[in-house]
Amino acid sequence: MNYSLIFNNMFTLPLLPYDQAALEPYISVRTLDFHYGKHHQAYIDNLNKLVAGTELEKETLESIIKKTASDPAQTAIFNNAAQACNHAFFWNSLRPAEAPAEDSQLKAAPAITPELSTLIDSTFGSLDNFYAEFKAAAVSQFGSGWVWLVKDGKTLKIIKTANADNPWVRGLKPLLTIDVWEHAYYLDYQNRRADFVEAILRHLLNWPFAEINFR
Ligand code: FE2
């Protein structure tokens, strides 16, 4: 038996940390089915094809990203490795939506942890100001990209990156991200990127994940 067929180093699609319906009504099953099942899967499949037989084949995703980020000859590998990584981080930046309130009032904002709540207030003035700045960054990102809440020393910062670029290659530590590629929202929100980002900010952000990343 050729064990190399079994014990290979193929990258695989990580499991979603929730059911595909868990983000509704803010992100539909249909969107997640395409975004996770088709787009994220394609980055993984492309990466496996691109690194097969190369010295990068046995490297970790993080190592591949750092080694290829500034090499124009390896842009395709970087793009697919970074997108594989960015999407895994994005799924974990979200948490299941709460059940609709019976009185049909707006759902409460996700519970932010006390330490981050203090930092959000001292950095941005208030949680609502943070939402506004994050949304402004998302709307002003020209074309495809990502918006990130990152750790900046002992405080916080919002940054945006184009295409597959991410904070890791800049030596920054991300806490949360929102994917603002059109494939992330077009089926549910068409061209209304701001509405998509607003819905995530107010209903789906996984603050406990951010807290773990901040430590
Ligand atoms: Fe995406």
Side-chain angles (χ1 to χ4, degrees):
M1 180 175 286
N2 184 354
Y3 285 99
S4 68
L5 291 175
I6 300 170
F7 298 106
N8 57 19
N9 193 37
M10 297 273 285
F11 294 101
T12 56
L13 187 66
L15 290 175
L16 273 183
Y18 33 71
D19 184 87
Q20 285 208 4
L23 307 179
E24 290 200 327
Y26 309 107
I27 297 176
S28 67
V29 169
R30 186 159 179 254
T31 287
L32 210 52
D33 196 35
F34 275 96
H35 197 176
Y36 168 73
K38 299 284 191 289
H39 290 275
H40 192 177
Q41 180 71 63
Y43 295 126
I44 301 280
D45 293 344
N46 289 337
L47 177 64
N48 280 322
K49 286 179 197 160
L50 288 164
V51 299
T54 75
E55 60 180 14
L56 295 171
E57 192 175 31
K58 304 223 178 321
E59 301 276 355
T60 63
L61 260 187
E62 186 179 9
S63 172
I64 290 175
I65 289 166
K66 288 182 175 169
K67 285 184 174 180
T68 59
S70 55
D71 182 354
Q74 308 217 69
T75 298
I77 293 177
F78 171 77
N79 282 341
N80 284 284
Q83 284 293 78
C85 198
N86 294 352
H87 281 87
F89 196 83
F90 177 48
W91 306 134
N92 281 284
S93 295
L94 307 180
R95 63 162 203 164
E98 292 170 11
E102 288 185 7
D103 61 5
S104 76
Q105 288 183 343
L106 283 177
K107 296 175 189 175
I112 186 167
T113 55
E115 185 183 359
L116 283 179
S117 179
T118 303
L119 270 171
I120 290 280
D121 286 346
S122 62
T123 307
F124 302 102
S126 69
L127 190 57
D128 277 339
N129 283 352
F130 161 72
Y131 291 157
E133 285 192 34
F134 201 102
K135 201 163 75 170
V139 170
S140 63
Q141 169 56 38
F142 185 76
S144 300
W146 300 80
V147 183
W148 310 79
L149 177 65
V150 301
K151 186 176 183 180
D152 182 23
K154 292 188 176 178
T155 185
L156 306 171
K157 188 193 280 183
I158 294 168
I159 67 165
K160 53 187 179 179
T161 59
N163 301 319
D165 190 13
N166 63 42
W168 292 284
V169 297
R170 301 163 180 222
L172 295 169
K173 191 171 185 187
L175 307 187
L176 293 169
T177 193
I178 296 182
D179 184 344
V180 296
W181 283 58
E182 279 191 349
H183 67 222
Y185 58 87
Y186 213 84
L187 291 175
D188 295 331
Y189 296 84
Q190 292 75 53
N191 61 332
R192 292 176 286 114
R193 181 189 284 183
D195 291 352
F196 163 71
V197 171
E198 174 93 11
I200 291 183
L201 290 170
R202 294 195 178 272
H203 302 288
L204 298 177
L205 272 194
N206 186 0
W207 286 107
F209 178 64
E211 177 87 40
I212 291 166
N213 293 323
F214 187 79
R215 289 182 194 140

